[in-house]
Amino acid sequence: MINLQPYENPMYFGYLLIGLIPVIIGMLFEKRFRWYETIFSLFFLILIFDGPKVAQGIALIGYTIFELCVAFAYFHYRTNDHSKNKTWVFYLAVILAIVPLVIVKFTPLFDPQHPSIFGFLGISYLTFKVVGIVMETRDGSIKSLSIMKFLQFLLFFPTISSGPIDRYRRFIKDYDRVPTRAQYLTLLDKGVHNIMLGFLYKFVLGYLFGTMLLPNFEHLAMLSRNNFLGISWPLVGVMYAYSLYLFFDFAGYSLFAVGVSYIMGIETPINFNKPFLSWNIKEFWNRWHMTLSFWFRDYIYMRFVFFMMKHKILKSRIAMANLGYLVLFLVMGIWHGETWYYIVYGLFHATVMILTDAWLRLKKRHKNWFPSNKFTHVMAVIMTANMVCFSFLIFSGFLDRLWFIGR
């Protein structure tokens, strides 16, 4: 069997179309063939992790068994209330859930030649799902947890490699219901639309900016790297070309995942909502990679700030929010990688978030000082888009290559 990268190979889409036909037929007759969906998902997981990625497939199996044990052990501990639900047990469950991801992320620092035993495509997004289950279990939001539904949620193949990141209760609500014929026709229409738009984004616009323009700008920027600090118009071209490539490639992939999910009767949340039309950085993170942004917001930022408030670590709410931003984006940067430019990328966004909050407070106190009209809105959008593109230039690692080669 041929190993296929999700949404990359035309053959993958061919298999996908054939496999979805029984799902579509069943849904049109208001029936969900769960047994078929299970076999269908297993087939595509084998496609993804077969051949040269078989070791990743074995790692996925081991990882799934481990995370299942962690999630169910904590669920049974939490639901069998004997007045012993200690906070340290919750922390232990969270730590155990993220241990495989931590091993994968930090193994290259100590042994660059050998990948981690847990390394496989999509481990980050699966880990976020499990941590979400543990945290919602602690909150009392998850009342029941079954092995089959846990596996269906965790290994839902359209989103396994790069999201979007769904929430367990929302997913199971869709999985348990069968939409009416009229509801499914609407979902089918949206699904096909998303897939077609995904083709435009990923294979046309993503190819234009990532394959045709970006290498040329990078080459010209390398030739002009002796300019002061390497600043040149080709470098500006790299900044814009990479930013647009990153958006269209990732948004295209997300549209494929959402589109296939819709066809399967699962309304997976969208991941991008016109992020380059944001008027400040806070709005940008409400529009860019939304499921990841909201996951970090809900499970890291909000809980960290609540912890500080509960233990009265800081008196100032502003200081707590600012420290929360630093922790949030530092974690996000390190999650992307341990190199300096990912960490600087995270700290850059934390700094801009802090400055944005300060600016919004100033505007609120002095409303008469700052006009608000279409012109100022457009200027805010332009400034935000350029600031984001600059952060993506840092994120790309090209400045590291430019500096390293130019030494």
Side-chain angles (χ1 to χ4, degrees), residues 129 153 156 159 162-168 170-171 174 194 254-255 257-259 261-262 266-272 289-292 294:
K129 286 183 175 182
F153 168 69
F156 187 55
T159 63
S162 293
I165 305 167
D166 210 343
R167 306 290 175 97
Y168 179 78
R170 201 222 62 77
F171 176 88
D174 281 358
N194 283 329
S254 296
L255 285 166
V258 170
S261 300
Y262 280 12
I266 304 294
E267 295 187 61
T268 295
I270 62 171
N271 232 5
F272 295 89
H289 204 348
M290 294 156 59
T291 58
L292 179 68
F294 297 158

Side-chain angles (χ1 to χ4, degrees), residues 300-338:
I300 295 181
Y301 176 79
M302 295 299 295
R303 290 173 188 267
F304 178 77
V305 170
F306 177 76
F307 176 84
M308 288 194 295
M309 291 176 61
K310 181 179 179 181
H311 295 278
K312 300 179 180 178
I313 296 175
L314 294 173
K315 293 182 179 180
S316 169
R317 289 180 177 269
I318 295 175
M320 282 191 288
N322 292 344
L323 184 57
Y325 288 142
L326 287 170
V327 171
L328 170 65
F329 285 101
L330 185 60
V331 170
M332 185 180 290
I334 294 173
W335 167 67
H336 280 104
E338 299 77 37

Side-chain angles (χ1 to χ4, degrees), residues 123-384:
I123 185 173
S124 292
Y125 298 96
L126 268 60
T127 301
F128 295 152
K129 286 183 175 182
V130 176
V131 172
I133 288 176
V134 171
M135 290 191 172
E136 290 187 3
T137 297
R138 195 218 185 191
D139 296 341
S141 301
I142 295 179
K143 305 297 184 182
S144 63
L145 195 64
S146 73
I147 293 178
M148 285 305 299
K149 289 181 180 179
F150 176 89
L151 294 176
Q152 288 285 356
F153 168 69
L154 188 66
L155 303 177
F156 187 55
F157 86 90
T159 63
I160 192 169
S161 59
S162 293
I165 305 167
D166 210 343
R167 306 290 175 97
Y168 179 78
R169 288 181 299 150
R170 201 222 62 77
F171 176 88
I172 295 304
K173 183 178 179 181
D174 281 358
Y175 183 75
D176 283 342
R177 74 180 179 91
V178 180
T180 65
R181 184 186 181 92
Q183 290 171 335
Y184 181 68
L185 285 173
T186 300
L187 279 179
L188 184 62
D189 180 66
K190 290 181 179 178
V192 172
H193 172 78
N194 283 329
I195 291 173
M196 293 298 102
L197 189 59
F199 274 108
L200 173 64
Y201 275 25
K202 187 171 181 64
F203 296 118
V204 179
L205 297 174
Y207 178 83
L208 171 64
F209 290 105
T211 303
M212 296 182 67
L213 295 180
L214 182 59
N216 292 325
F217 282 127
E218 288 181 336
H219 176 69
L220 292 173
M222 287 293 186
L223 292 177
S224 60
R225 64 180 178 270
N226 292 326
N227 291 356
F228 178 65
L229 295 180
I231 298 173
S232 62
W233 285 113
L235 185 59
V236 175
V238 171
M239 181 179 80
Y240 289 128
Y242 178 79
S243 298
L244 291 171
Y245 159 71
L246 184 66
F247 167 69
F248 286 119
D249 184 75
F250 199 4
Y253 175 92
S254 296
L255 285 166
F256 289 141
V258 170
V260 174
S261 300
Y262 280 12
I263 293 174
M264 296 181 69
I266 304 294
E267 295 187 61
T268 295
I270 62 171
N271 232 5
F272 295 89
N273 180 23
K274 302 175 183 177
F276 289 108
L277 295 181
S278 306
W279 50 91
N280 61 45
I281 200 66
K282 298 186 75 171
E283 183 65 17
F284 172 80
W285 283 108
N286 286 328
R287 292 167 173 258
W288 175 274
H289 204 348
M290 294 156 59
T291 58
L292 179 68
S293 298
F294 297 158
W295 191 96
F296 273 93
R297 178 198 66 191
D298 295 345
Y299 296 133
I300 295 181
Y301 176 79
M302 295 299 295
R303 290 173 188 267
F304 178 77
V305 170
F306 177 76
F307 176 84
M308 288 194 295
M309 291 176 61
K310 181 179 179 181
H311 295 278
K312 300 179 180 178
I313 296 175
L314 294 173
K315 293 182 179 180
S316 169
R317 289 180 177 269
I318 295 175
M320 282 191 288
N322 292 344
L323 184 57
Y325 288 142
L326 287 170
V327 171
L328 170 65
F329 285 101
L330 185 60
V331 170
M332 185 180 290
I334 294 173
W335 167 67
H336 280 104
E338 299 77 37
T339 51
W340 70 266
Y341 44 85
Y342 290 133
I343 295 172
V344 170
Y345 166 81
L347 293 176
F348 176 85
H349 274 277
T351 302
V352 176
M353 287 285 282
I354 292 170
L355 294 175
T356 299
D357 267 1
W359 168 251
L360 293 175
R361 288 194 300 271
L362 181 64
K363 286 182 65 177
K364 187 175 181 179
R365 287 197 304 268
H366 305 284
K367 295 180 181 180
N368 296 331
W369 292 10
F370 307 101
S372 181
N373 50 49
K374 289 184 179 180
F375 175 76
T376 57
H377 179 81
V378 170
M379 291 303 297
V381 170
I382 293 173
M383 290 175 63
T384 302

Side-chain angles (χ1 to χ4, degrees), residues 16-31:
L16 191 60
L17 177 61
I18 295 171
L20 285 172
I21 291 174
V23 175
I24 296 171
I25 294 173
M27 288 291 184
L28 289 174
F29 286 93
E30 301 185 9
K31 296 183 182 295

